[in-house]
Amino acid sequence: MDFQVVVLAGGVSKKLLPLVSKELPNALLPVANRPVLSYVVELLELSNLKDLIVVVEGKDVALNVGAWISGAYADRLHVEVASVPEDVGTAGAIRAIAHHLTAKDILIVSGDLVSDVPVGAVAATHRRHDAVVTALLCNAPISGPLESVSSGGKDKTKKPGRYDLIGLDPTKQFLLHIATGAEVEKDLRIQKSILRAVGQIEIRADLMDAHLYAFKRSVLLEVLDQKSAFQSLKHDVLPYLVRSQLKSEVLLNGTPQAEENGTEKVNSQSNQQMISQILANASEPTFHLRHTLGTIGSDSVRRAHKCCVYISGSSKYCARLNSIQAYNDINRDVIGEASHLSGYSFSAHNNIIHPTAELGAKTTVGPHCMLGEGSQMGDKCSVKRSVIGRHCRIGANVKVVNSVVMNHVTIGDFCSIQGSVICSNVQLQERAILKDCQVGAGFVVTSGSEQKGEVLAKK
Amino acid sequence: MKFWRRTEKKHETVKEVSPDTPSVSQPLKAKTTKAERRALQEAQRAAKAASKANGNSAVAESGKASPAKSKKQSSQKKDGPPVTSSVTIYKKSGNHPLEKERKKDPPPQRMQFDDQNRVEKAKRRALVNQTEARNRVEIFRHLPQYEHGNQLPNLESRLFQLDSMHPAVFKVGLRYIAGDISGVNARCTEMLRALQDAIIDYSTPPEKVLIRDLTAKINSYVSFISECRPLSISMGNAIRFVKSRIAKLPLSYTDTEAKTALCSDIDRFINEKIIIADKVIVGHAITKIRDGDVLLTYGLSCVVEMILLSAHDLGKKFRVVVVDSRPKFESQALLARLIAKGLSCMYTHINAVSYIMHEVTRVFLGASAVMSNGTVLSKIGTACIAMVAHEFRVPVLICCEAFKFHERVLLDSICCNELGDPDAVATVPGRMDINYLDNWTNKENLQLLNLMYDVTPSDYISVIVTDHGMIPPTSVPVIVREYGQEHYIT
């Protein structure tokens, strides 16, 4: 179908420290015991897109990711892993792989997207309107019900940044304005020409940009060439295209040039005009057309390009892994409401316990939990709404509530873990109490320590 | 040919020997067997025609059919037809292949959607998953009607699954379902352009002949497009043209030569049959507009719009009455464009037509297709306008390009029509308070009907303006016969 897919898998993000590290880059962070990149790859595979380009930042990250992909998807997909230098931003990443892009349209997916929105629908909307860019919008995530007290302090600064201000036209098909909540201090600036052309803009704060874009390749590369200062697709390129949609300068390549050689060419030119007139008259005129038609006769012919949106239905799940809070939420959702995403089948108690996992006596594993391969739990443990990874050794009388425990973790007796994330190879000694903490890989939590809202990492 | 001559000789010898013996016993036997044999013959002929249409299997079947048929023919000839008929038989045999073509076997029957078996079969082969609408009107059961709400999202989400479809063709299908394009000229042009793109990107797979493979591919594209929205009759003409051009490609052509030839053919078709035809029609129709005229038009026809604009550019002074109807309000776009150019217009709805017709001097209407008996298939409401105009003795001019002529004959609006979205009839956009029909699907004794086309009988039409000139509706079969052959039919 003439689409090429680029997955931007990032590198080692600072927002997710200490969960991520050189050995465990962003893309391989486990959600429900599966690397988060696998969700994107599975979604693309479901839509029959088998040729991917995965872009990562940093050479060793590329090695890790490449190794995992070739292990998991060698025969089913054809994936090319490209590495770009760090801190070039998403726009820089696309610039770096520009020579690989040949198809007419490019689908750019962020590697930390966990969703089941049909990718084909976004692409089809893009094609139908002949748009320059089409963005996927989903309902912004509301904070989970078990929001604990201490996260209030840390997350208050993060909350405003989690939503976007989106301006749509009345038919909800075209994007008229986009701004990230974090950028908006007090006021919102909207192009007057756009407002005049459309007549009505609907501004919504409950929709979130899911970082799945369909771009027209020629336009994207042209914009990246011309505006070398653009660093990010979301913050620079997209708002630029949206702002300039009625006074477009990017479609200069597409129009037929006036190199007349004789009457034949003139005739064909007028025929082309007639055809385009017939086609334009026959279809529902969008505000772009009305705007450009209004300029016939004036010297500066305005061209318009279309920025479309696809709003995913409320039944579809869509979330991005860009903060620790989001990590907790997504883990909870994937084994909870959006369990169809995880790809596992649930047992009778509504949880997933691997066959090789051992449970001690009187150990309860509540619903919406996950127990990985080879994990062992001691007696009288209780696990509620948590994910426990592979080969963990959990002692007796341990309470794990609303947490994520990764692989090869040793938890001593009488520990209590609440709302925390514990990375691989961590050792929790006896009677450690953790609440809303993040423990980096390889850390040893001393016995009897009580931590609340801390980030514990190896120095 | 050889078979015929042998039977002639046999026939003559039989006659010489015993002219009388066949008459007594044979007639009784002859009647029944002749009728049976004729029935058998017709069946075989139909089977042969059908297999010829399929192409590949034609060779095997016709090989089997023709010796059987000729045997039956020769035995029939033995039963006492007079001498003169032998001459005619000989003539017949000489003209036999030509007459068979001219006979024009009935076109393959269009899919009738009230036949459960065929619908099931078609559903299995269908690329577009459509759910049938509820509360369908009984009399229109033979037409397809699907739920309009989830057609587009369904098809959209399967963009990447339908690998066999060319992207341009898929885009056209999407736009049809979404209702982005309306009007026969635009639909035809878009479809031909998409087929052109598909042909350009086509490459013959190994071990296959370009002609057959490309025809099969075009068939699959066309069936996809018609699943999205049923093809109009004139689009069928365009497709027949493309297929006949493919069939006429010399076998010696390479891929690129064939593709460039086909693309230039399609360009030529669009150019000649639509663009230049429109210009010629405008030239003819302008002569019928005098100063001081009041012209009435209905719906959105691009040809009529061009006529009005060019007449205005020529400086003629006239008024226009633009008639519109629910649910689409298509004429409003036309009205906006006319006013922008400075014409003085009046806008009204179709329920007021009989009140304004007394001041109208000419009626200009567009057409979707014109049938052989002079009936015009056009947007619903056209028949009404033509009838009122006829009552008031106002001449009705239909402006339509020649590629929309078809050899079918339609007597009513029921056999061949299209059903639109019933929700469009149930709701009034912008009026939330008119919600009496909100859950009409649950009311069992309610059926909503949104017809798209209707048929205007030829009595109400004064003249049809085509690119071949201005012809009365009775001359349509002449045009189809004379000009149809060189373009559409092999």
Side-chain angles (χ1 to χ4, degrees), chain B residues 309-370:
Chain B
L309 291 175
S310 339
H312 183 73
D313 286 338
L314 278 179
K316 302 206 176 183
K317 307 262 178 297
F318 57 94
R319 291 197 287 130
V320 181
V321 178
V322 178
V323 181
D324 203 358
S325 78
R326 280 200 71 219
K328 281 199 180 169
F329 293 121
E330 298 171 322
S331 312
Q332 285 190 359
L334 168 67
L335 185 67
R337 288 194 285 268
L338 291 179
I339 293 181
K341 290 281 179 167
L343 281 88
S344 45
C345 308
M346 182 199 296
Y347 177 75
T348 178
H349 278 198
I350 193 168
N351 40 16
V353 153
S354 48
Y355 292 100
I356 49 162
M357 195 53 84
H358 70 269
E359 42 178 71
V360 174
T361 56
R362 301 248 191 283
V363 174
F364 278 88
L365 297 171
S368 174
V370 179

Side-chain angles (χ1 to χ4, degrees), chain A residues 305-342:
Chain A
H305 62 246
K306 295 187 189 165
C307 303
C308 294
V309 291
Y310 177 81
I311 303 181
S312 77
S314 49
S315 60
K316 300 281 180 196
Y317 180 75
C318 189
R320 281 197 64 223
L321 187 64
N322 47 9
S323 68
I324 298 186
Q325 176 66 30
Y327 183 65
N328 277 327
D329 287 339
I330 295 181
N331 263 308
R332 202 172 34 236
D333 289 331
V334 170
I335 47 177
E337 293 133 14
S339 47
H340 53 271
L341 276 176
S342 63

Side-chain angles (χ1 to χ4, degrees), chain A residues 1 3 46-49 118 120-121 123-125 127-128 130 271 274-275 278-279 281-284 310, chain B residues 152 156-157 159-163 165 167 171 174 178 180 182 186 190 193 271 275 279 300 305-306 337:
Chain A
M1 279 287 162
F3 265 95
L46 266 176
S47 308
N48 211 19
L49 286 165
T125 319
R127 272 285 155 75
R128 180 157 76 93
D130 223 1
N271 284 346
M274 264 189 79
I275 296 180
I278 293 180
L279 293 179
N281 288 353
S283 45
E284 287 281 325
Y310 177 81
Chain B
L152 186 56
E156 275 185 343
S157 53
L159 171 72
F160 295 115
Q161 258 94 3
L162 293 170
D163 259 340
M165 207 45 60
K171 179 178 167 184
L174 274 179
D180 281 347
S182 64
E190 287 256 334
R193 287 254 179 265
N271 226 359
I275 311 285
K279 290 187 187 157
L300 180 57
E305 188 181 336
M306 278 194 255
R337 288 194 285 268

Side-chain angles (χ1 to χ4, degrees), chain B residues 56-312:
Chain B
N56 277 345
S57 48
V59 182
E61 282 197 24
S62 57
K64 265 187 267 166
S66 46
K69 207 165 61 90
S70 51
K71 249 191 263 168
K72 300 287 178 217
Q73 285 275 31
S74 56
S75 52
Q76 190 195 23
K77 293 296 172 282
K78 267 195 223 158
D79 305 319
V83 185
T84 48
S85 73
S86 68
V87 181
T88 51
I89 293 168
Y90 188 82
K91 263 210 197 130
K92 239 198 210 172
S93 66
N95 295 344
H96 181 70
L98 194 56
E99 198 199 75
K100 268 185 82 70
E101 283 180 26
R102 286 192 140 257
K103 206 171 125 189
K104 272 182 221 178
D105 310 304
Q109 212 201 19
R110 274 185 154 200
M111 171 85 167
Q112 301 298 311
F113 284 83
D114 50 0
D115 184 347
Q116 261 320 96
N117 291 342
R118 294 193 70 186
V119 169
E120 292 292 324
K121 265 196 213 162
K123 257 194 172 172
R124 266 179 260 141
R125 275 181 289 138
L127 287 172
V128 186
N129 291 345
Q130 318 212 40
T131 49
E132 287 183 20
R134 292 175 278 178
N135 293 25
R136 298 172 63 171
V137 180
E138 275 307 313
I139 203 174
F140 287 104
R141 275 223 159 237
H142 59 284
L143 296 173
Q145 177 157 24
Y146 299 113
E147 301 226 326
H148 279 247
N150 50 5
Q151 267 178 341
L152 186 56
N154 241 331
L155 188 59
E156 275 185 343
S157 53
R158 300 177 59 213
L159 171 72
F160 295 115
Q161 258 94 3
L162 293 170
D163 259 340
S164 57
M165 207 45 60
H166 189 267
V169 175
F170 195 89
K171 179 178 167 184
V172 167
L174 274 179
R175 295 190 70 186
Y176 277 10
I177 285 192
D180 281 347
I181 322 177
S182 64
V184 174
N185 283 359
R187 281 172 69 188
C188 215
T189 318
E190 287 256 334
M191 186 186 71
L192 285 175
R193 287 254 179 265
L195 287 180
Q196 220 179 13
D197 284 338
I199 290 178
I200 292 178
D201 289 339
Y202 170 80
S203 60
T204 324
E207 322 247 339
K208 288 222 177 131
V209 182
L210 174 108
I211 297 180
R212 301 230 175 91
D213 195 51
L214 187 57
T215 315
K217 264 225 144 85
I218 299 236
N219 278 340
S220 70
Y221 293 156
V222 167
S223 70
F224 169 74
I225 293 182
S226 65
E227 275 170 32
C228 294
R229 190 178 161 184
L231 290 180
S232 74
I233 295 185
S234 24
M235 286 167 71
N237 276 350
I239 294 170
R240 252 196 307 169
F241 168 77
V242 171
K243 286 204 224 172
S244 73
R245 298 309 308 173
I246 298 180
K248 278 193 187 162
L249 281 176
L251 282 168
S252 56
Y253 269 21
T254 61
D255 261 6
T256 34
E257 283 176 7
K259 288 198 286 193
T260 38
L262 280 175
C263 291
S264 69
D265 277 338
I266 294 183
D267 270 334
R268 203 166 44 92
F269 182 89
I270 296 181
N271 226 359
E272 286 176 16
K273 301 271 175 273
I274 303 184
I275 311 285
I276 298 188
D278 281 346
K279 290 187 187 157
V280 173
I281 293 176
V282 167
H284 284 309
I286 286 186
T287 59
K288 291 293 178 193
I289 302 182
R290 307 161 301 191
D291 281 348
D293 261 348
V294 179
L295 309 175
L296 186 140
T297 179
Y298 174 70
L300 180 57
S301 166
C302 51
V303 192
V304 174
E305 188 181 336
M306 278 194 255
I307 295 174
L308 295 173
L309 291 175
S310 339
H312 183 73

